[in-house]
Amino acid sequence: MEDVVEKLAEKLNTLSIHLQSNRYVVNGLYNQAKQLREKALNQEVLENELSKVPHDPAEYETKYLELQRENQVLNHLIKEYDSAMHIIMSKYRAKTDSFHREKQELQLQFDKALDQEKIYNENLTLENLNLRHQLHSSFEVIRTALNNDEDDLVASELVRVQKENETLRELLAISQNPDSVTKLP
């Protein structure tokens, strides 16, 4: 019973550690997404600033193309990030669901073991009561037997004393009446 409880506690501890680790990873990814969005916003701010400054059209065109490429790269990174977040969240949900299922299974096992332990304890209590009753009955039988033995001893002693008393009376009667000597058995 204790082994099952210890295993359950170990599994719950492991699952809690994995859950905490996954939360840490999700928070890190969330912060990275936030930084990427800030970069994208900064990129837009830079584009706005560049559009205000007059440039040589050729230079402006090259800067614009560079910014466009950088914007495409950033958009691609954001899509990859979103895809990675989707995968991570799917795994996180799966782990969380698995954790909850295992927790429920462990709880069911624990409840079952607890119920079995309660039944076992109840059986031991009933057996204890039964043994106490049997012990009490045995004491009564022994007490009765001892009382009967004492009664038998008293009765035999009484018979012996009565015979002795009868013998003494006969002797007394003989000593008082010498003619009755012939009557002795």
Side-chain angles (χ1 to χ4, degrees), residues 81-101:
Y81 171 79
D82 285 341
S83 174
M85 280 298 290
H86 178 70
I87 291 169
I88 290 170
M89 289 306 292
S90 296
K91 287 183 179 181
Y92 175 75
R93 285 184 201 104
K95 289 278 187 182
T96 304
D97 290 344
S98 173
F99 170 74
H100 286 296
R101 270 187 261 110

Short mmCIF file of all heavy atoms in Angstrom, two decimals, residues 81-101:
data_model
loop_
_atom_site.label_atom_id
_atom_site.label_comp_id
_atom_site.label_asym_id
_atom_site.label_seq_id
_atom_site.Cartn_x
_atom_site.Cartn_y
_atom_site.Cartn_z
N TYR A 81 7.35 31.71 -35.78
CA TYR A 81 7.12 31.79 -34.34
C TYR A 81 5.69 31.34 -34.00
O TYR A 81 5.48 30.57 -33.08
CB TYR A 81 7.36 33.21 -33.83
CG TYR A 81 6.92 33.39 -32.41
CD1 TYR A 81 7.71 32.93 -31.36
CD2 TYR A 81 5.70 33.99 -32.12
CE1 TYR A 81 7.31 33.07 -30.05
CE2 TYR A 81 5.29 34.13 -30.80
CZ TYR A 81 6.09 33.67 -29.78
OH TYR A 81 5.68 33.81 -28.49
N ASP A 82 4.72 31.84 -34.76
CA ASP A 82 3.33 31.43 -34.54
C ASP A 82 3.18 29.92 -34.71
O ASP A 82 2.48 29.26 -33.94
CB ASP A 82 2.39 32.18 -35.48
CG ASP A 82 2.18 33.62 -35.06
OD1 ASP A 82 2.44 33.95 -33.88
OD2 ASP A 82 1.73 34.42 -35.90
N SER A 83 3.83 29.38 -35.74
CA SER A 83 3.78 27.94 -35.98
C SER A 83 4.42 27.18 -34.80
O SER A 83 3.87 26.20 -34.31
CB SER A 83 4.50 27.60 -37.28
OG SER A 83 4.57 26.21 -37.46
N ALA A 84 5.58 27.67 -34.36
CA ALA A 84 6.26 27.03 -33.22
C ALA A 84 5.40 27.14 -31.96
O ALA A 84 5.30 26.18 -31.19
CB ALA A 84 7.62 27.67 -32.99
N MET A 85 4.78 28.30 -31.76
CA MET A 85 3.90 28.48 -30.61
C MET A 85 2.72 27.51 -30.67
O MET A 85 2.32 26.94 -29.65
CB MET A 85 3.38 29.92 -30.53
CG MET A 85 4.35 30.90 -29.92
SD MET A 85 4.75 30.49 -28.23
CE MET A 85 3.23 30.88 -27.43
N HIS A 86 2.18 27.34 -31.87
CA HIS A 86 1.06 26.42 -32.04
C HIS A 86 1.50 24.99 -31.67
O HIS A 86 0.79 24.29 -30.95
CB HIS A 86 0.55 26.47 -33.48
CG HIS A 86 -0.56 25.52 -33.75
ND1 HIS A 86 -1.82 25.68 -33.20
CD2 HIS A 86 -0.60 24.37 -34.46
CE1 HIS A 86 -2.58 24.68 -33.59
NE2 HIS A 86 -1.86 23.87 -34.36
N ILE A 87 2.67 24.59 -32.14
CA ILE A 87 3.19 23.25 -31.83
C ILE A 87 3.44 23.12 -30.33
O ILE A 87 3.05 22.13 -29.71
CB ILE A 87 4.48 22.97 -32.64
CG1 ILE A 87 4.16 22.82 -34.12
CG2 ILE A 87 5.19 21.72 -32.13
CD1 ILE A 87 5.37 22.80 -35.03
N ILE A 88 4.07 24.14 -29.76
CA ILE A 88 4.38 24.10 -28.32
C ILE A 88 3.10 24.06 -27.50
O ILE A 88 2.98 23.29 -26.55
CB ILE A 88 5.26 25.30 -27.92
CG1 ILE A 88 6.66 25.12 -28.50
CG2 ILE A 88 5.31 25.48 -26.41
CD1 ILE A 88 7.55 26.32 -28.39
N MET A 89 2.14 24.88 -27.87
CA MET A 89 0.88 24.89 -27.12
C MET A 89 0.15 23.57 -27.27
O MET A 89 -0.48 23.09 -26.31
CB MET A 89 -0.01 26.07 -27.57
CG MET A 89 0.52 27.42 -27.13
SD MET A 89 0.83 27.55 -25.35
CE MET A 89 -0.81 27.46 -24.72
N SER A 90 0.23 22.96 -28.47
CA SER A 90 -0.39 21.65 -28.66
C SER A 90 0.26 20.63 -27.74
O SER A 90 -0.42 19.83 -27.08
CB SER A 90 -0.27 21.19 -30.11
OG SER A 90 -0.97 22.04 -30.96
N LYS A 91 1.60 20.65 -27.70
CA LYS A 91 2.31 19.73 -26.82
C LYS A 91 2.00 20.04 -25.35
O LYS A 91 1.83 19.13 -24.55
CB LYS A 91 3.82 19.81 -27.07
CG LYS A 91 4.24 19.17 -28.37
CD LYS A 91 5.73 19.21 -28.54
CE LYS A 91 6.14 18.55 -29.85
NZ LYS A 91 7.60 18.56 -30.03
N TYR A 92 1.93 21.32 -25.05
CA TYR A 92 1.62 21.72 -23.67
C TYR A 92 0.23 21.22 -23.27
O TYR A 92 0.05 20.66 -22.19
CB TYR A 92 1.70 23.25 -23.54
CG TYR A 92 1.29 23.77 -22.20
CD1 TYR A 92 2.13 23.65 -21.10
CD2 TYR A 92 0.05 24.38 -22.03
CE1 TYR A 92 1.76 24.13 -19.86
CE2 TYR A 92 -0.34 24.87 -20.80
CZ TYR A 92 0.52 24.75 -19.73
OH TYR A 92 0.14 25.22 -18.50
N ARG A 93 -0.74 21.40 -24.16
CA ARG A 93 -2.09 20.91 -23.87
C ARG A 93 -2.09 19.40 -23.73
O ARG A 93 -2.77 18.85 -22.84
CB ARG A 93 -3.05 21.34 -24.98
CG ARG A 93 -3.43 22.79 -24.91
CD ARG A 93 -4.47 23.16 -25.97
NE ARG A 93 -4.45 24.58 -26.21
CZ ARG A 93 -3.91 25.18 -27.26
NH1 ARG A 93 -3.36 24.46 -28.21
NH2 ARG A 93 -3.92 26.49 -27.38
N ALA A 94 -1.36 18.72 -24.62
CA ALA A 94 -1.30 17.25 -24.54
C ALA A 94 -0.67 16.82 -23.22
O ALA A 94 -1.17 15.90 -22.56
CB ALA A 94 -0.49 16.69 -25.71
N LYS A 95 0.42 17.48 -22.83
CA LYS A 95 1.08 17.15 -21.56
C LYS A 95 0.14 17.44 -20.39
O LYS A 95 0.05 16.66 -19.45
CB LYS A 95 2.37 17.95 -21.38
CG LYS A 95 3.49 17.54 -22.27
CD LYS A 95 4.19 16.35 -21.71
CE LYS A 95 5.42 16.08 -22.56
NZ LYS A 95 6.13 14.92 -22.11
N THR A 96 -0.54 18.58 -20.45
CA THR A 96 -1.46 18.94 -19.38
C THR A 96 -2.60 17.94 -19.29
O THR A 96 -2.97 17.50 -18.20
CB THR A 96 -2.02 20.36 -19.61
OG1 THR A 96 -0.92 21.27 -19.72
CG2 THR A 96 -2.91 20.79 -18.46
N ASP A 97 -3.16 17.57 -20.46
CA ASP A 97 -4.22 16.56 -20.46
C ASP A 97 -3.70 15.24 -19.92
O ASP A 97 -4.38 14.57 -19.12
CB ASP A 97 -4.77 16.37 -21.88
CG ASP A 97 -5.56 17.57 -22.36
OD1 ASP A 97 -5.95 18.42 -21.52
OD2 ASP A 97 -5.79 17.67 -23.59
N SER A 98 -2.51 14.86 -20.34
CA SER A 98 -1.89 13.62 -19.85
C SER A 98 -1.68 13.71 -18.34
O SER A 98 -1.94 12.74 -17.61
CB SER A 98 -0.56 13.39 -20.56
OG SER A 98 0.12 12.30 -20.01
N PHE A 99 -1.20 14.85 -17.89
CA PHE A 99 -0.99 15.06 -16.46
C PHE A 99 -2.30 14.90 -15.70
O PHE A 99 -2.35 14.22 -14.67
CB PHE A 99 -0.39 16.45 -16.22
CG PHE A 99 -0.35 16.85 -14.78
CD1 PHE A 99 0.58 16.30 -13.92
CD2 PHE A 99 -1.25 17.79 -14.28
CE1 PHE A 99 0.61 16.68 -12.58
CE2 PHE A 99 -1.22 18.16 -12.96
CZ PHE A 99 -0.29 17.60 -12.11
N HIS A 100 -3.37 15.51 -16.21
CA HIS A 100 -4.66 15.43 -15.53
C HIS A 100 -5.18 14.00 -15.53
O HIS A 100 -5.74 13.54 -14.53
CB HIS A 100 -5.67 16.38 -16.17
CG HIS A 100 -5.42 17.82 -15.83
ND1 HIS A 100 -5.50 18.32 -14.56
CD2 HIS A 100 -5.07 18.87 -16.61
CE1 HIS A 100 -5.22 19.60 -14.55
NE2 HIS A 100 -4.95 19.97 -15.79
N ARG A 101 -5.02 13.30 -16.67
CA ARG A 101 -5.46 11.91 -16.74
C ARG A 101 -4.68 11.05 -15.73
O ARG A 101 -5.27 10.25 -15.00
CB ARG A 101 -5.27 11.34 -18.15
CG ARG A 101 -6.51 11.55 -19.02
CD ARG A 101 -6.39 10.84 -20.35
NE ARG A 101 -5.98 11.82 -21.35
CZ ARG A 101 -4.80 11.88 -21.94
NH1 ARG A 101 -3.89 10.98 -21.72
NH2 ARG A 101 -4.51 12.83 -22.80
#
